[in-house]
Amino acid sequence: MGLSAAAPLWSSPGLLLAIALHPALSVPTHRDYCVLGAGPAGLQMAYFLQRAGRDYAVFERTQRPGSFFTRYPRHRKLISINKRYTGNSNSEFNLRHDWNSLLSHDPRLLFRHYSRAYFPDAQDMVRYLGDFADTLGLRVLYNTTITHVTLDKDQRAWNGHYFILTDQKGQVHQCSVLLVATGLSVPNQVDFPGSEYVEGYESVSMDPEDFVGQNVLILGRGNSAFETADNILGVTNFIHMLSRSRVRLSWATHYVGDLRAINNGLLDTYQLKSLDGLLESDLTDLAILKDSKGKFHVTLKFFLEEAGTNQSTDSITLPQDNNDNFAMRVPYDRVIRCLGWNFDFSIFNKSLRLNSGNAFGKKYPLIRASYESKGSRGLFILGTASHSVDYRKSAGGFIHGFRYTARAVHRLLEHRHHSIAWPATELPITQLTSSIVRRVNEASGLYQMFGVLADVILLKENATAFEYLEEFPLHMLAQLEMLTGRKAQHGLFVINMEYGRNFSGPNKDVFFDNRSVGHTEDAWQSNFLHPVIYYYRHLPTEQEVRFRPAHWRLPRPAAIHHIVEDFLTDWTAPIGHILPLRRFLENCLDTDLRSFYAESCFLFALTRQKLPPFCQQGYLRMQGLVSTESLRQHRVESRLPRNHAATDSHLEDSSQQPGDHEPLDVPMAPGHLAQSLDSNKEEL
């Protein structure tokens, strides 16, 4: 009776319409993958998901991709290199020096087609990202702002829960995997007395005329601070720049996020004593006072607290009252904050446990080396916000770095949820040296994400062959089998790109004499970026990775080889680069990796118990011996029967080179083999 009574209610057209229109009661739209943000990282992940045929959607709060670049950098000059010419036709190599392009199969979607400038305009990036999304038909939901994200536990879900996203219209979206690519968007602010007088980088005027004849104080010491200073350098009385840390120059630290040469004009005017200057102090110790004329004075918070709240501004003690040589004793007309950005945690429910609570954790979400949240399985952080993995160590916070970390995350997801193993190429062991040489000379991901993404070579049984895996997260090595679906049972090599351990730093003189290494025996002292190969007999354990020696990127290996640095970053010198590498690999594997002519293989077969792998594989491929004058003489002296399947012209034509003949199938009786063996022993 209950059923018959309820049926008319649910069949009511008005009630059905009300339920459909009421967002709280509507059924969530489910997708396997949800991507937050249609910036470079979000579009890059969307590309990989689309190519794999996955169920996904990208949520973008504005009407076009790349909304960050419509406003930032404020003065519109990107600091990412657009190097259009390298003298090399290899597309992978050229990506090493193209810091703006996303990865795709379409050669039209390279950034060099969008700007001729070495440091492009930000609007070119907006145009490029729009074309990238449109040309590839990526599924982006524009004008959709996600206002809240929470979890819904469900054992049927891939990760034991679904991610529930609510947009500005109240529409609910359900996702199995959440990929957050929202970047850093919250201006970093320091709370001190008088901070309300400070203008932010995000809103300060860009018109130099607004600063004519003014004294300006800039808080910050990064590219945004120097970019702002360069814009007004020619019209101000002077600019003082204040920050807790010293200037870090990118060419000294090898970190592209530090001060770039294109922005450092104020360093010249400071060092040449042209009024501008740099100062170091903890901003939390300061206070800013505004006098009756609207000028700003810098003092110490201590003096402010000592004076109490009843004192007028003009009666509060200033540092120059006690020290008439106080550096900042001149009042300022403007104070500008350029302190960088933080991640926006506001839309994420506490159940996701994204924030660690410490100072670094307030800037970046808490994630693993696999870019997965430490608090919520199935939640991955992409792009600039994932930079905590390699902050100040590599390029993971920039397009030319995170385009590769996004691909690594996609490969992890493909194995976890779709049972597709990490892509690998299986090759005979004779191609080991050439495979490594090719990758270290061409690969862009390995080159840009040095110390973070590494190539891994998994050896097959008896080292007869190997599997080559590209750009695996280095610090997840202990979990390689679980994350990739590949087995590491017979040893492995790890190929990483590294700078010298003591070569960079804000206090280092990186232009010191003898800074480069040219001799093979000194390769381990190489300072510039160079390939390093680690050999392990067994896959390192979690404990070994965690408690590795200080300053080691990986646990101590069974053997390690540095390929000596090269001025041209071209590691193809036969004697200086390739020969030492081959010998290192041979020593690790206790085998001979050289290539031989068929005649040499024939002689080895007569004089050695174990053939080199090249010869073994040649015979397996039915590549027999070829006729040369020397082999013909062996046949005659050994009184071996002729191979009647071969023509006389082939047998007698000694003018041809090895490899130019048809294989010579030489049948041997035991006695003849012994005679031939004795003959070869005499010759050798």
Side-chain angles (χ1 to χ4, degrees), residues 415 421-422 424 426 456-461 465-469 477-493 537-539:
H415 174 60
W422 191 284
E426 184 168 339
V456 180
I457 293 172
L458 304 178
L459 298 169
K460 295 294 186 179
E461 189 174 4
F466 63 91
E467 287 183 323
Y468 202 112
L469 284 66
L477 185 62
Q479 300 179 36
L480 181 139
E481 291 186 335
M482 180 183 70
L483 296 175
T484 66
R486 305 286 177 180
K487 296 299 181 182
Q489 299 176 330
H490 307 290
L492 65 151
F493 291 97
R537 295 187 179 91
H538 307 283
L539 190 67

Side-chain angles (χ1 to χ4, degrees), residues 52 173 206 227 272 300 313 325 365 425 447 456 469 495 533 633:
H173 309 267
M206 295 184 292
E227 165 205 327
L272 298 175
L300 298 176
T313 301
N325 193 30
T425 303
Y447 188 85
V456 180
L469 284 66
I495 297 93
I533 295 91
Q633 188 64 31

Side-chain angles (χ1 to χ4, degrees), residues 420-439:
I420 297 177
W422 191 284
T425 303
E426 184 168 339
L427 296 168
I429 201 68
T430 51
Q431 296 186 34
L432 180 59
T433 307
S434 60
S435 296
I436 295 175
V437 170
R438 180 183 62 83
R439 284 288 294 171

Side-chain angles (χ1 to χ4, degrees), residues 430-431 434 582 586 592-598 600-601 604 612-615:
T430 51
Q431 296 186 34
S434 60
R582 179 175 62 76
E586 289 176 338
D592 191 330
L593 297 178
R594 291 176 293 176
S595 298
F596 297 93
Y597 287 108
S600 299
C601 290
F604 289 152
F614 182 89
C615 297

Side-chain angles (χ1 to χ4, degrees), residues 341-571:
W341 309 88
N342 295 328
F343 182 77
D344 184 3
F345 293 93
S346 64
I347 67 171
F348 298 96
N349 188 278
K350 290 184 178 180
S351 61
L352 276 72
R353 295 180 294 175
L354 273 178
N355 194 330
S356 65
N358 59 36
F360 193 68
K362 291 178 181 178
K363 183 176 180 66
Y364 293 107
L366 193 63
I367 59 175
R368 307 178 190 278
S370 61
Y371 303 94
E372 187 170 19
S373 166
K374 291 185 177 181
S376 300
R377 180 177 169 84
L379 192 160
F380 290 83
I381 306 296
L382 308 176
T384 303
S386 70
H387 197 26
S388 57
V389 170
D390 64 305
Y391 181 64
R392 302 196 55 77
K393 297 176 183 177
S394 196
F398 312 91
I399 292 175
H400 61 287
F402 63 61
R403 60 192 178 194
Y404 300 107
T405 59
R407 182 164 64 185
V409 169
H410 177 253
R411 288 170 172 171
L412 295 174
L413 291 171
E414 284 291 287
H415 174 60
R416 177 187 289 186
H417 298 305
H418 308 288
S419 301
I420 297 177
W422 191 284
T425 303
E426 184 168 339
L427 296 168
I429 201 68
T430 51
Q431 296 186 34
L432 180 59
T433 307
S434 60
S435 296
I436 295 175
V437 170
R438 180 183 62 83
R439 284 288 294 171
V440 300
N441 281 286
E442 295 178 2
S444 177
L446 193 65
Y447 188 85
Q448 296 292 6
M449 290 305 298
F450 56 89
V452 178
L453 299 181
D455 286 1
V456 180
I457 293 172
L458 304 178
L459 298 169
K460 295 294 186 179
E461 189 174 4
N462 298 322
T464 56
F466 63 91
E467 287 183 323
Y468 202 112
L469 284 66
E470 298 178 359
E471 297 161 19
F472 181 80
L474 190 67
H475 293 135
M476 299 301 293
L477 185 62
Q479 300 179 36
L480 181 139
E481 291 186 335
M482 180 183 70
L483 296 175
T484 66
R486 305 286 177 180
K487 296 299 181 182
Q489 299 176 330
H490 307 290
L492 65 151
F493 291 97
V494 179
I495 297 93
N496 183 37
M497 302 291 284
E498 299 178 11
Y499 279 99
R501 294 181 185 175
N502 301 311
F503 186 44
S504 63
N507 302 322
K508 297 284 185 179
D509 174 17
V510 295
F511 295 111
F512 61 89
D513 291 339
N514 302 319
R515 59 186 175 272
S516 62
V517 173
H519 298 291
T520 302
E521 59 269 23
D522 299 322
W524 63 278
Q525 298 183 72
S526 296
N527 283 313
F528 286 94
L529 194 65
H530 64 284
V532 183
I533 295 91
Y534 298 75
Y535 171 62
Y536 296 95
R537 295 187 179 91
H538 307 283
L539 190 67
T541 65
E542 289 270 13
Q543 188 173 15
E544 289 172 336
V545 171
R546 183 176 180 183
F547 297 104
R548 62 189 181 274
H551 307 299
W552 279 70
R553 292 172 174 83
L554 286 171
R556 195 179 297 276
I560 189 170
H561 177 70
H562 291 253
I563 300 181
V564 67
E565 64 188 31
D566 185 78
F567 183 72
L568 302 175
T569 60
D570 176 18
W571 294 280

